[in-house]
Amino acid sequence: MPHMSDIQKVIEIEVLRYNPETDKAPSSQVFEVPFTDDMSVLQGVQYIKDYLDGSLSFRWSCRMAICGSCGMMINGVPHLSCETFLRDYYPARVRVEALNHFPIERDLVINMEGFINKLESIQPYIIPKEPRTLAQGEYLQTPEQLNLYEQFSSCINCMLCYAACPQFGLNPDFIGPAATALLHRYNVDSRDGGKEERMDLVRSEEGVFHCTAVGYCSEVCPKHVDPANAVNQNKTNAAVDYFLRFVSPKGGAK
Amino acid sequence: MKPTLKRSNAPIFWALFGAGGMLSALFGPMLVFITGLAIPLGLLLPADALSYPKMLAFTQNFIGKGFVFAVIALFLWHAAHRIFHSLHDIGIHAGTGAKLACYGSAMVGTVIAAYALLSIGF
Ligand code: SF4
Ligand code: FES
């Protein structure tokens, strides 16, 4: 019977390291990580932190593709590292970097402040059309009404779509895929009355027209949200409003 | 959130881009076939289908004029928008100059087409 060491596979993980306080520029460091077929890339970097270099920084929580905190560039593609497996890269080296297009806080940890501000700006909650008392009971929705927004409500705020979006890379002010998908999720909810306020953002210079219909955001989305669809539906909404606002002014146009 | 959001004027260019895209998808391949293959190689169509008198008559007709104008102008606006947004892919940082060059040429082309079509009369 072979020894454990004989069958132990070892993969090289190249990690982007950066400490803005001491480093002039990011650099990469290669670690040799023993792994088994059931190990994710996240477990690979956890191995590095536990056994090889405790200073390596990254975010994670759920390990089951639900919390959205473990997004990384893996061989140049935005992935959730907890659902991406080392075996799929072996025997080649796998390269792990912080998500593209975001400022790096440290190593694989990005600064998500800009995204959080965008999330707040879209008012991601139902704004009731009119005050409603408890006595009036719950809102009822038909399956069709649910269908309109359900897909867009699956977003876990992992920001992979932002790392995939070349237009966000060019201009970080662009409201971007996930925030637009969530904005749309509330706008098309039959219980919501906040559409007009949110549309000001859609139509603005930070709004949907930055998008050049690349579609990579929807490709990398681990939750099949299809943010590109939300962005492009809202280009039409914004364009219709742009030309028709003179015919039926609703106010709010600046 | 920024206190005041400025409404984007992009819908104008986006609408022209969209209209041009639709038109070029519908008519582009056919026009390439007629003007680039069928007539020069004498396939399918009568040899004089694009002759000067025929084309003159076509563009003097109200509908023909409109068609030629729409095809030229909207194709140009479509191309301008597409090229402008592809510039950074070939390493050109697209600023105001690039914007003027792209949309400016579409504008110039549109004006020339309108002028030429009007000057041959009805
Ligand atoms: S839309 Fe998809 S890729 Fe973008 S943040 Fe939400 S879950 Fe992640
Ligand atoms: S650790 Fe939660 S999504 Fe990967």
Side-chain angles (χ1 to χ4, degrees):
Chain A
M1 193 175 150
H3 275 287
M4 204 38 205
S5 59
D6 292 335
I7 51 162
Q8 180 67 72
K9 285 190 279 188
V10 174
I11 187 168
E12 285 185 343
I13 304 185
E14 178 183 334
V15 189
L16 184 92
R17 304 300 307 267
Y18 184 50
N19 179 351
E21 281 162 24
T22 55
D23 306 343
K24 277 221 175 67
S27 59
S28 56
Q29 191 177 357
V30 181
F31 297 94
E32 305 219 322
V33 177
F35 78 102
T36 48
D37 276 350
D38 58 353
M39 269 172 70
S40 63
V41 173
L42 176 64
Q43 283 173 294
V45 290
Q46 283 174 325
Y47 182 94
I48 298 174
K49 189 171 180 70
D50 291 347
Y51 299 104
L52 305 175
D53 185 343
S55 71
L56 179 63
S57 303
F58 50 92
R59 285 196 182 103
W60 61 280
S61 176
C62 71
R63 297 162 296 138
M64 49 192 280
I66 258 314
C67 73
S69 47
C70 68
M72 300 171 191
M73 303 302 291
I74 302 178
N75 278 5
V77 179
H79 283 297
L80 293 179
S81 57
C82 68
E83 61 160 9
T84 308
F85 288 88
L86 289 170
R87 59 169 188 262
D88 294 328
Y89 299 89
Y90 183 79
R93 173 188 284 188
V94 57
R95 186 165 36 91
V96 181
E97 296 157 312
L99 284 180
N100 268 0
H101 307 149
F102 289 95
I104 295 178
E105 210 135 88
R106 179 136 179 178
D107 297 332
L108 305 173
V109 176
I110 53 135
N111 180 328
M112 51 195 282
E113 205 184 316
F115 176 67
I116 299 294
N117 290 341
K118 283 174 188 168
L119 220 46
E120 273 175 27
S121 75
I122 62 154
Q123 303 180 276
Y125 36 80
I126 286 171
I127 302 173
K129 294 192 179 92
E130 55 215 30
R132 194 174 166 93
T133 62
L134 274 183
Q136 287 172 285
E138 67 275 67
Y139 285 100
L140 296 179
Q141 271 185 330
T142 64
E144 288 75 35
Q145 287 172 329
L146 175 69
N147 266 344
L148 279 180
Y149 71 82
E150 193 179 23
Q151 155 204 9
F152 301 108
S153 69
S154 314
C155 173
I156 57 173
N157 303 342
C158 66
M159 294 168 280
L160 297 192
C161 49
Y162 285 79
C165 175
Q167 293 303 329
F168 172 66
L170 284 175
N171 186 347
D173 289 338
F174 171 33
I175 180 81
T180 309
L182 276 168
L183 176 153
H184 188 68
R185 174 251 172 279
Y186 290 97
N187 274 359
V188 296
D189 191 316
S190 58
R191 297 164 292 182
D192 182 83
K195 181 170 177 179
E196 259 319 298
E197 287 169 53
R198 297 193 196 93
M199 285 309 283
D200 280 344
L201 189 55
V202 166
R203 300 166 189 138
S204 74
E205 296 198 327
E206 291 78 36
V208 291
F209 288 101
H210 276 281
C211 166
T212 52
V214 174
Y216 193 30
C217 53
S218 296
E219 224 174 280
V220 302
C221 174
K223 294 288 153 192
H224 309 290
V225 170
D226 201 355
N229 177 301
V231 173
N232 286 291
Q233 283 194 48
N234 281 295
K235 279 185 200 166
T236 312
N237 293 343
V240 167
D241 180 80
Y242 187 89
F243 295 111
L244 294 190
R245 76 196 135 128
F246 305 111
V247 187
S248 60
K250 300 182 290 269
K254 285 169 200 95
Chain B
M1 184 148 103
K2 300 238 172 76
T4 47
L5 291 164
K6 205 161 159 276
R7 187 194 272 271
S8 164
N9 287 317
I12 298 175
F13 302 99
W14 184 75
L16 288 167
F17 166 75
M22 170 87 84
L23 209 63
S24 57
L26 288 174
F27 295 108
M30 183 195 72
L31 287 172
V32 169
F33 176 74
I34 294 176
T35 58
L37 295 169
I39 298 294
L41 300 179
L43 299 168
L44 297 169
L45 296 174
D48 68 338
L50 288 189
S51 66
Y52 183 77
K54 285 208 166 154
M55 287 318 290
L56 186 65
F58 182 70
T59 46
Q60 279 177 335
N61 174 286
F62 220 68
I63 295 168
K65 217 186 257 312
F67 177 79
V68 172
F69 179 70
V71 161
I72 293 175
L74 291 175
F75 276 38
L76 280 173
W77 286 99
H78 180 80
H81 190 77
R82 171 71 79 215
I83 291 169
F84 176 69
H85 282 288
S86 308
L87 282 179
H88 93 97
D89 294 338
I90 52 168
I92 300 173
H93 182 72
T96 316
K99 200 174 249 174
L100 276 177
C102 289
Y103 297 113
S105 1
M107 185 49 124
V108 170
T110 303
V111 171
I112 293 176
Y115 175 79
L117 283 165
L118 288 175
S119 63
I120 49 179
F122 291 83

